[in-house]
Amino acid sequence: MDTDRKRIRIAIDGPSGAGKSTIAKAVAEKLAIDYIDTGAMYRAIGYKMLTEGIDVSEEKKIKEMLTRTTIDFSGGNIILDGTVINDRIRTPEVSKMASSSSALPEVRSKLVALQRKIASGKSVIMDGRDIGTNVITDAECKFFMTASKEERAERRYKELAEKGVQTSYAQVLEDIKKRDENDSTRRLNPLAMADDAVLLDTTGMKVDDVVNAILEEVRRKWPY
Ligand code: DC
């Protein structure tokens, strides 16, 4: 069997709150392939820095911390150093720390290497900021998913409220604007659309319609 031809790697990049993880999860299920949430990996590092009281300016401590850090995905869970941390990494504090620490070269090189290893030799759908431009530059299918800032803030606000996180829509919108700025202006692998990515503006679109648009494109490029 020609396994390489049958392998598909789908990259989905875009700003926070664009709906990448909801859509990627649904597409992964339809195609029966693995879903890797790379944002969760940066969040895991941000979470560990917060719990250990490490500041983004403390390069030496960060390097040392990374040498004793393992991140795994299993059964839809994200596991940091052997502990499931799913909900703990979804707070506004962790979002901020993940965004600032993701600009550090030592953090990026560790996580990008891990992401490439996970994506090697199997079919995956991976979402993040630099998947199509850096992590899997030869992915069979690339998408850049976005939506208006207001709609993204609305979605994030609802998600946080459902989880019982106390915040306001105005605060969430403010945080989204700051993270967009951070993520797209950092020097290393900033949020950007790959030249060969398909642009998907999901403002006003239903989840099913976005999933179908992706599946249609995937079938066109990968008819197996
Ligand atoms: O997708 P998310 O909101 O869970 O991501 C959290 C942070 O991680 C985001 O602010 C930027 C960073 N990130 C990154 O730099 N590169 C990726 N591939 C994914 C996320």
Side-chain angles (χ1 to χ4, degrees):
M1 189 173 71
D2 184 351
T3 44
D4 256 342
R5 220 165 51 124
K6 292 225 162 118
R7 174 164 83 133
I8 185 161
R9 292 153 311 159
I10 306 171
I12 303 193
D13 291 305
S16 64
K20 299 185 299 291
S21 57
T22 308
I23 302 296
K25 238 181 257 171
V27 172
E29 212 161 284
K30 290 259 183 206
L31 297 174
I33 62 175
D34 284 352
Y35 162 55
I36 304 296
D37 175 357
T38 65
M41 299 165 83
Y42 289 94
R43 285 172 180 273
I45 298 296
Y47 170 77
K48 188 158 175 177
M49 286 169 66
L50 285 171
T51 51
E52 295 198 353
I54 305 175
D55 188 77
V56 274
S57 62
E58 297 179 292
E59 199 181 322
K60 239 178 130 180
K61 282 193 186 170
I62 293 168
K63 275 192 181 150
E64 184 279 321
M65 178 270 283
L66 290 171
T67 63
R68 51 179 173 83
T69 299
T70 60
I71 297 173
D72 295 299
F73 288 94
S74 174
N77 296 312
I78 170 134
I79 301 158
L80 171 70
D81 301 331
T83 305
V84 173
I85 49 160
N86 299 352
D87 283 347
R88 284 185 249 168
I89 57 168
R90 302 290 161 193
T91 66
E93 292 73 32
V94 174
S95 298
K96 256 182 231 148
M97 191 50 127
S99 181
S100 36
S101 59
S102 68
L104 304 172
E106 47 275 27
V107 171
R108 296 208 76 79
S109 65
K110 170 155 178 136
L111 295 189
V112 168
L114 187 53
Q115 289 153 14
R116 287 187 179 140
K117 195 170 155 211
I118 293 173
S120 72
K122 65 173 179 185
S123 291
V124 283
I125 179 162
M126 200 174 255
D127 77 355
R129 305 292 189 286
D130 63 336
I131 310 305
T133 54
N134 177 45
V135 180
I136 327 176
T137 48
D138 58 347
E140 284 72 27
C141 271
K142 297 182 187 179
F143 297 92
F144 191 83
M145 195 180 289
T146 188
S148 71
K149 287 192 194 323
E150 290 72 19
E151 185 156 326
R152 290 190 281 126
E154 186 85 34
R155 293 176 189 167
R156 240 314 117 87
Y157 174 64
K158 274 194 195 144
E159 214 177 280
L160 289 170
E162 272 164 24
K163 287 190 179 131
V165 177
Q166 296 281 324
T167 185
S168 65
Y169 168 78
Q171 185 60 54
V172 175
L173 180 60
E174 195 50 38
D175 288 351
I176 283 219
K177 286 182 183 166
K178 256 191 228 136
R179 280 221 282 151
D180 280 2
E181 170 77 13
N182 271 354
D183 296 348
S184 48
T185 59
R186 69 165 178 244
R187 204 174 49 80
L188 262 180
N189 318 129
L191 167 67
M193 179 166 150
D195 293 338
D196 51 350
V198 173
L199 176 65
L200 278 174
D201 184 342
T202 67
T203 311
M205 273 178 89
K206 291 201 187 86
V207 169
D208 280 354
D209 295 337
V210 183
V211 171
N212 286 332
I214 291 185
L215 289 174
E216 213 168 281
E217 178 67 17
V218 168
R219 275 186 210 113
R220 216 169 56 77
K221 291 207 174 123
W222 190 64
Y224 300 109

